[in-house]
Amino acid sequence: MPNVIEVKDLNAPELEPFTRLTEAQLRNRLEPEKGMFIAESPTVIECALGAGFRPVSFLMERKRIDGRAEELLRRCEGVPVYTADREVLAGLTGYVLTRGILAAMRRPRLPTVEEICRNARRIAVLESVVDATNVGAIIRSAAALNIDAVLVTPNCCDPLNRRAVRVSMGTVFQVPWTEIGEVNSDWPEKGLARLRSLGFKTAAMALRDDSVSIDDPALRREEKLAVILGTEGDGLSPRTIADCDYTVRIPMAHGVDSLNVAAASAVAFWELRAR
């Protein structure tokens, strides 16, 4: 039987992960072993459980307990399930639970860059991509198009941000990812040197006069390639572009200057995939 607890006190401390803690507080950089993230929707939670993540607690509409959540709860016996009607939960969380179920889960220990890149041939590096929707969409494309790993710079949006997790449709639990560097000064110089030491050539996605087309045969011949994608609007930093082995562009038509970074990632991952 699930451990169902009716929500009566909206200020109860056990509800803080769902109601009052910011993304930064959930992440808890000072004490990583206490860090959490929020998984939203049955599909995403099922992906997390399949990847070995364990929930701390659930928050859901009452009607979901004997509905879509029944199988989830059977797999998580003893985990507290906080519940109330839809209207109460909307007031509690500040947004309507469109899929009716949230799970607070423990954050994993992040692997090292060396661990996840050891057998990789194609990886993506996200430099300062701050929009959670874009991060989630890029990771979903990475999973679908056979990218072996994703690295994020220290000032990039957290891939376990609630929105990023949801937009990724749970693929953030399937594609190996980690941070490349602990502080902003670790990128790009130290980070790119680290990639070179692991045998990767680097391809900066940028619109420059000296860039090569994404279908250049030289790119396809590279045994190990890191595709570097930059922040929304400004793109990659000049220092990153200068230090990469290739500057790569996606040819545009009809006067369009560029694609959104998430759309560009899908094109790049498909064209530059290992063959």
Side-chain angles (χ1 to χ4, degrees):
M1 291 289 292
N3 179 18
V4 179
I5 302 168
E6 186 76 18
V7 173
K8 295 180 179 179
D9 181 4
L10 300 185
N11 296 311
E14 57 268 25
L15 296 178
E16 286 186 346
F18 303 107
T19 60
R20 286 184 291 279
L21 296 185
T22 65
E23 289 288 345
Q25 289 169 329
L26 283 168
R27 194 169 185 176
N28 208 341
R29 281 184 175 273
L30 295 179
E31 297 180 87
E33 69 279 0
K34 295 181 180 179
M36 288 186 282
F37 67 92
I38 303 298
E40 182 180 352
S41 88
T43 298
V44 170
I45 295 169
E46 286 167 0
C47 288
L49 293 177
F53 292 84
R54 299 300 299 171
V56 175
S57 59
F58 291 98
L59 179 67
M60 67 181 67
E61 295 176 49
R62 186 182 293 104
K63 68 179 182 180
R64 303 283 181 171
I65 295 174
D66 297 319
R68 181 71 190 274
E70 186 174 6
E71 177 57 30
L72 289 176
L73 298 181
R74 189 177 294 117
R75 296 170 64 182
C76 304
E77 188 174 351
V79 175
V81 180
Y82 299 102
T83 189
D85 291 328
R86 184 182 181 91
E87 293 74 18
V88 173
L89 294 182
L92 178 66
T93 61
Y95 51 86
V96 175
L97 302 185
T98 55
R99 293 171 180 82
I101 304 173
L102 298 177
M105 295 188 160
R106 287 290 179 203
R107 292 183 66 93
R109 179 195 71 83
L110 288 181
T112 66
V113 171
E114 288 72 19
E115 286 172 340
I116 69 170
C117 290
R118 185 170 295 121
N119 299 312
R121 294 186 61 198
R122 293 293 184 270
I123 65 172
V125 182
L126 310 189
E127 178 186 280
S128 309
V129 180
V130 297
D131 183 85
T133 299
N134 282 334
V135 169
I138 292 169
I139 290 175
R140 187 174 181 180
S141 292
L145 301 172
N146 211 28
I147 294 298
D148 298 310
V150 174
L151 307 178
V152 297
T153 61
N155 55 352
C156 189
C157 171
D158 176 19
L160 291 181
N161 171 286
R162 181 181 66 86
R163 183 179 294 276
V165 171
R166 186 180 70 205
V167 172
S168 82
M169 291 299 292
T171 55
V172 69
F173 308 121
Q174 299 168 353
V175 178
W177 69 272
T178 195
E179 296 175 349
I180 182 162
E182 297 180 359
V183 295
N184 290 344
S185 59
D186 287 338
W187 180 267
E189 184 177 3
K190 293 178 182 178
L192 290 172
R194 199 170 179 183
L195 293 176
R196 284 193 292 271
S197 73
L198 294 172
F200 284 92
K201 294 291 187 177
T202 51
M205 299 299 300
L207 295 172
R208 299 249 304 208
D209 292 339
D210 60 350
S211 60
V212 299
S213 177
I214 196 169
D215 59 359
D216 191 302
L219 294 168
R220 299 177 186 173
R221 289 194 296 265
E222 293 293 355
E223 180 64 23
K224 302 177 76 172
L225 188 67
V227 181
I228 320 290
L229 297 148
T231 186
E232 304 84 353
D234 293 335
L236 292 171
S237 71
R239 178 67 181 275
T240 298
I241 296 171
D243 287 353
C244 281
D245 298 296
Y246 297 96
T247 304
V248 182
R249 70 181 183 279
I250 299 172
M252 298 283 112
H254 300 293
V256 177
D257 62 351
S258 64
L259 295 174
N260 164 274
V261 65
S265 74
V267 175
F269 296 162
W270 170 256
E271 182 63 36
L272 300 177
R273 68 194 186 281
R275 290 168 166 81

